[in-house]
Amino acid sequence: MIELSDAQAFVHSRISVLEPEEYAVARAPGCVIAATVRAQEAVPGFANSSMDGFALRARDTVEGGVRLRVVDSVRAGEVSSVVVGAGQAVRIMTGAALPEGADCVCMIEEATVEGSDVVIARTLTPGAYVRGVGEDTEVGQVLFSPGDVLSAAGVGVLAGQGVTSVAVHPRARVGVLSTGHELVTGAGPLGPGQIRDLNRPMLLALVREAGFVAVDLDVADDTPEDITRALRGAITACDAVITTGGVSVGDVDFVKTVLAELGGEDARWMQVAIKPAKPFAFAVVGPRRVPVFGLPGNPVSTRVSFELFVRPALRARAGHRVLERPTLDAILDVALERPADDKIHLVHVRVAWGDDGALHVTDAMRRGSHLLHAVAAANALAVVPTGARAHAGERVRVIVLDTDSLGVAP
Ligand code: AMP
Ligand code: MG
């Protein structure tokens, strides 16, 4: 058996980052930026009002109030043609350019309109309620550096520069292939001994959920020829490939042998010291060095194996620096019994905030690598280390699978 951390390190050491591509900005959120982006335009590009009110000269204001003549009105998108002189003001809307001569704005709530005059009750300092040129962004300023993940706000920043495309590490295209003579696709009738292929739809969903492009590679039969044919096609069309089934010690577990052939030096079949998901095969194949992950066929094992090996590797391939899910300490409200074997146990659990402000494991799902329904409602994976007791009241590390489910901390 190989330790989990060693198995993960083997995979990680062989993952190469995808070459940058130019993406339309609208397609790029969630992608990792590959080249420095500098501002070409100042934002704001001109001094403008941050309030609806009156543009005026700060030095005209006095304690006790001053009466000014309103000489123009300017809305966002317009530029006033007047120059504001002594004793004058211009009615101004939020976002409108500050008229020449004016150096501040008095908000409407602090002004009293009297016919064609306005009374400004307070003193103001130059720059009050004015958004200055380049206050947010100056020309030449670094907006994004390689390694930054483009957020929705980042999309806004690029749009604010008139930038329409950006160099990013592409969203990996991830192929998913099921293997197994017993598998039936979709809703078709089940013959004797047949089961439905549920790993492939689950993995396709996991790939999409992780932000990658899922490519359905269908089902291969349990023959070296069928598996080889499917994988040869996949490594030209995809940036990574996931297979399920055929990596254990059964007579027809040919995925591991095919991967060993295709991957050569970079292939390895492992018996990882974890439960579930012990068997795992990995290879890097072809000139594009496409990683192929051979996951076990039992659905809960498939899911756990995806979390531990595939998801972090896909993120690395896409250039991410943070590879892991949020992983936190939680207090056990329920005991996580485990036999005294040499494995790290990964237990699907429910976690929730407690009134004490800490995260708690409130429930543990029924265990068994074939019991997928039992774990479908879990929102975290508890990592129970070798030799740990994991009694109620103790702390355990949890990999949070669904951060949205946590909600507001007390
Ligand atoms: P294997 O790893 O191929 O020995 O498969 C282990 C167990 O998982 C067997 O009971 C298979 O029938 C089952 N299995 C394999 N692939 C799938 C799949 N795609 N969907 C559901 N169960 C599967
Ligand atoms: Mg099989």
Side-chain angles (χ1 to χ4, degrees):
M1 281 201 298
I2 176 173
E3 295 299 324
L4 173 61
S5 54
D6 292 340
Q8 287 172 319
F10 181 87
V11 171
H12 190 70
S13 68
R14 281 160 180 80
I15 297 291
S16 51
V17 180
L18 293 169
E19 289 300 322
E21 282 178 25
E22 199 72 13
Y23 264 31
V25 168
R27 212 185 142 204
C31 290
V32 178
I33 292 188
T36 302
V37 181
R38 287 181 185 277
Q40 296 157 14
E41 298 176 359
V43 180
F46 54 91
N48 67 88
S49 178
S50 69
M51 288 287 173
D52 294 315
F54 291 89
L56 47 98
R57 303 170 355 143
R59 59 188 179 283
D60 285 355
T61 61
V62 289
E63 293 288 346
V66 66
R67 174 181 293 268
L68 303 173
R69 174 56 54 94
V70 180
V71 293
D72 196 12
S73 173
V74 60
R75 315 186 288 183
E78 292 178 351
V79 177
S80 174
S81 56
V82 309
V83 178
V84 178
Q88 295 183 333
V90 165
R91 174 83 175 104
I92 194 166
M93 277 18 103
T94 305
L98 193 71
E100 225 179 291
D103 60 9
C104 70
V105 171
C106 176
M107 63 167 104
I108 189 90
E109 292 83 352
E110 292 177 343
T112 313
V113 177
E114 293 181 357
S116 52
D117 291 345
V118 62
V119 176
I120 307 296
R122 53 168 287 196
T123 59
L124 289 154
T125 50
Y129 303 111
V130 176
R131 303 161 172 162
V133 174
E135 218 174 86
D136 183 40
T137 307
E138 286 174 14
V139 175
Q141 186 181 332
V142 173
L143 296 175
F144 300 104
S145 303
D148 289 348
V149 179
L150 186 63
S151 65
V155 169
V157 169
L158 292 175
Q161 292 286 318
V163 170
T164 54
S165 72
V166 61
V168 294
H169 297 286
R171 214 177 276 289
R173 290 171 53 80
V174 184
V176 178
L177 174 75
S178 281
T179 71
H181 188 64
E182 72 277 35
L183 300 179
V184 170
T185 300
L190 291 175
Q194 291 188 318
I195 60 165
R196 298 196 192 283
D197 173 14
L198 51 86
N199 286 346
R200 190 165 42 103
M202 173 173 68
L203 283 167
L204 290 166
L206 284 167
V207 165
R208 286 190 202 104
E209 206 178 79
F212 302 103
V213 180
V215 180
D216 190 345
L217 300 175
D218 216 332
V219 179
D221 202 354
D222 286 318
T223 67
E225 297 74 29
D226 217 34
I227 295 164
T228 305
R229 194 178 319 120
L231 285 181
R232 282 208 188 284
I235 59 157
T236 56
C238 303
D239 302 312
V241 179
I242 310 169
T243 70
T244 83
V247 294
S248 195
V249 291
D251 293 345
V252 292
D253 285 342
F254 291 122
V255 171
K256 63 177 193 286
T257 45
V258 169
L259 284 189
E261 252 165 57
L262 294 178
E265 299 256 293
D266 290 315
R268 191 144 167 203
W269 177 64
M270 305 178 220
Q271 299 273 50
V272 189
I274 55 175
K275 190 178 174 72
K278 182 169 78 164
F280 172 61
F282 176 76
V284 176
V285 184
R288 292 174 55 244
R289 296 194 56 76
V290 173
V292 183
F293 304 87
L295 310 191
N298 274 307
V300 178
S301 304
T302 307
R303 202 272 169 84
V304 167
S305 200
F306 177 87
E307 286 302 327
L308 298 181
F309 298 111
V310 185
R311 196 178 185 278
L314 295 179
R315 288 179 60 80
R317 191 124 171 86
H320 283 275
R321 289 177 183 150
V322 178
L323 305 181
E324 309 293 345
R325 300 252 201 196
T327 302
L328 306 169
D329 270 349
I331 297 168
L332 288 169
D333 291 353
V334 291
L336 298 182
E337 302 298 346
R338 54 156 298 165
D341 54 24
D342 293 336
K343 298 174 186 167
I344 293 174
H345 284 234
L346 295 133
V347 187
H348 282 87
V349 294
R350 292 249 5 132
V351 293
W353 296 113
D355 293 337
D356 55 358
L359 199 61
H360 285 247
V361 173
T362 56
D363 202 5
M365 291 10 192
R366 225 152 37 96
R367 280 179 262 177
S369 57
H370 58 302
L371 303 178
L372 188 64
H373 175 245
V375 305
N379 65 354
L381 263 186
V383 183
V384 188
T386 314
R389 285 157 48 226
H391 293 151
E394 291 178 356
R395 281 177 182 274
V396 68
R397 290 243 109 185
V398 295
I399 300 168
V400 181
L401 302 173
D402 179 5
T403 41
D404 282 347
S405 68
L406 294 183
V408 183

